[in-house]
Structure formats: structure tokens, C-alpha cells
Amino acid sequence: MSIITLTSDIGMQDYLVGAIKGQLWQYCPECHVTDITHHISPFNLPQATYICKSAFAYFPLGTFHFVLINLFDRRPDHVLVAEHNGQYIGCADNGLLTMIAGGMPDKVIKIPLDKQAPKNTFTIIQLLAAAARELSRGKALGELGPLTQSITVKHNLQPLVGDDFIEGQIIHIDSFENVVVNITRDQFDAQRKKRPFRIFFRRNEVISQISETYADVAEGQKLALFNAAGYLEIAINKGNAAGLFGLQGFRRDQLTQPTGYQQLSYYQTVRIIFQ
């Protein structure tokens, strides 16, 4: 039985997610459809990348991941289907694929949209579901279309590093208002070189140790730890770090700035100083 995951910025307020699942079961009645999340912030590719990379790693080989983020960034004439690390990813050609894969995926094809078909989510799901059905029946990706490397490329939001510091950006705030920063444990360890450190964030708040669990500090106290996905997290034990400290990640209104998506300096930053 094939597994299809759904990740989107659609939300759960209306019929659309249910209708997408119904459409998938028409095309792939034997498949198992599961949600990753439908609450990605609109247009937030860094957050989508973090969520997808962190979740996809736990799925078995052969899983199909449909990533319905920013589908209509431009008027679409094709969708992408990629094979990467033994799994398949279907998404719009908006740069997100290369962010999730950390570069060019192992294999990728473009599936053209019917020029007469409506340019909407259901048309895209129909194409992705048809591709998943053929791949699950044993076809190779290259049999569905010519392999290509001519796709939109965007790069992950990376921390800024220096000899005695590393500076990251907030990429996600979870339902407990814990703040996730785009600094991994490996990046922290490589830059730290076993030196003492201090973590600075808004309002000159400082943390000087890494906790293993939230319970390592008293209730109401701030802490920093590396979460299960391996990313730095700023939290308050049984509190709301983002709200209390006024921390925010990507906002949709940042796209109204003159440089749009490129203006990543609007992210709030977390700086670690090594001594």
C-alpha cells in the first residue's frame, strides 16, 4: 500500500483538504493518505522546508510527499515530481524542492498541465496522483517524462557565522510558542569548538547553557535546547516564549517590502557569542 503525505498552507477551515483526500482516493484507492500539516504560514518557504525535511526523514522508502505550498506563485504550466533519498516529492516549481532537498534532487521531471484544464489545486492533485499511481506500479520516474535540471532553485536560509559567533533566524513557532531557529546542533558544535557561549535574543535576554529537556529549568524559566529535529529552540518551561519575548518569524506582510522574498533581514535573529 502506497503512502501519500500532504503538507500545505491551506488550513482546516473549509472543504479543501477533505476534497483533496477524496480526489486522491479516486485515483489511488489503495493508498494511505496522511497529513503532515496544513498550517504552514502563507508563502513561508523556510518554515515549509523545516517542517518537510524534519518529517520526511521518518517515512519509509517509496513514500509520496505532496507539498501544496505557494502553488500559484506564478501562472503554472507544469508541476514537479522528484525522486530523492528513495522517496518522491511533488510540488510547484517555485524553488521549494531544492530547499527541501538541500540542492538539486536525485531525479526530477516536469509534468505539463493541460492547457485547457483549470489552473487550480484539483488539477495539480490530479497530475500528482496519476504520477504516484504509475510509480507505485513499478514505473521509473524517467518513464513519466524526461529528466531535467532546469527548475527554479532557491537556497535554505542559512545562519551567519564568524570566528566567535553564529547568528540564526527564527523559522518556526510551534503551538506552544516555542521558537525554532535555523541553527542545527552540528553547526553549533562545529562553531563552538567546546568554548563557553551566550545566546542573545530580543530584549537582551541571555541563555548560557543548553538543556536536554524543558524540565531542566524551573517552571516559567527560559531555556535553550536542540529539539528532536536537531534545531535550536528557545522556550519557557510551561510558558510561551514567543509571546512573552515578542519573538516573531516570517510574516506575510514582509512580501510587500521592495525586495520581497529576498528581504530575509526582516527575520528576527538569535545570536550566539563564543568566548
Side-chain angles (χ1 to χ4, degrees), residues 14-254:
D14 58 25
Y15 72 96
L16 199 53
V17 171
I20 288 169
K21 292 180 179 180
Q23 188 179 29
L24 286 174
W25 281 316
Q26 288 190 56
Y27 279 87
C28 304
E30 72 286 356
C31 70
H32 177 73
V33 181
T34 186
D35 301 306
I36 291 179
T37 182
H38 297 288
H39 296 288
I40 300 294
S41 301
F43 313 112
N44 192 339
L45 299 190
Q47 182 192 38
T49 300
Y50 163 71
I51 295 293
C52 289
K53 289 184 68 173
S54 300
F56 292 178
Y58 291 93
F59 281 85
L61 298 178
T63 298
F64 298 91
H65 302 289
F66 293 177
V67 186
L68 312 178
I69 306 291
N70 205 11
L71 290 180
F72 304 104
D73 178 55
R74 65 194 69 180
R75 184 176 178 84
D77 59 10
H78 65 273
V79 294
L80 300 180
V81 176
E83 183 178 346
H84 190 67
N85 291 339
Q87 302 181 0
Y88 298 97
I89 303 172
C91 62
D93 189 1
N94 58 13
L96 181 57
L97 178 59
T98 54
M99 294 176 71
I100 294 172
M104 194 64 63
D106 299 334
K107 299 177 182 177
V108 61
I109 63 171
K110 296 179 179 179
I111 300 181
L113 275 68
D114 184 342
K115 293 182 179 180
Q116 304 304 316
K119 302 299 187 291
N120 60 32
T121 302
F122 296 116
T123 297
I124 290 173
I125 287 293
Q126 180 179 341
L127 290 176
L128 295 179
R133 181 178 57 194
E134 295 303 309
L135 291 167
S136 66
R137 292 175 178 175
K139 282 193 175 182
L141 186 64
E143 295 181 71
L144 304 187
L147 299 178
T148 182
Q149 291 193 328
S150 178
I151 64 174
T152 301
V153 175
K154 288 182 180 176
H155 301 288
N156 293 339
L157 190 62
Q158 293 295 326
L160 178 67
V161 298
D163 291 338
D164 59 358
F165 75 91
I166 182 169
E167 185 175 273
Q169 292 78 37
I170 296 171
I171 54 173
H172 179 61
I173 296 173
D174 69 18
S175 59
F176 294 97
E177 294 198 21
N178 301 320
V179 174
V180 180
V181 183
N182 67 328
I183 298 174
T184 67
R185 181 185 290 274
D186 288 344
Q187 290 169 327
F188 172 79
D189 288 341
Q191 202 66 20
R192 178 187 180 187
K193 301 173 184 175
K194 299 183 179 180
R195 292 176 290 179
F197 64 88
R198 290 186 296 169
I199 302 172
F200 293 88
F201 52 101
R202 193 168 181 176
R203 297 181 182 174
N204 295 319
E205 297 286 347
V206 180
I207 299 173
S208 58
Q209 65 180 9
I210 298 294
S211 299
E212 292 187 8
T213 72
Y214 302 106
D216 286 355
V217 301
E219 289 187 19
Q221 296 300 305
K222 61 182 179 289
L223 69 141
L225 52 72
F226 286 98
N227 64 20
Y231 285 80
L232 181 67
E233 189 173 296
I234 306 296
I236 294 176
N237 184 14
K238 297 186 179 178
N240 308 109
L244 181 62
F245 296 125
L247 298 171
Q248 299 178 1
F250 177 88
R251 302 188 311 276
R252 183 172 181 172
D253 61 9
Q254 288 164 7

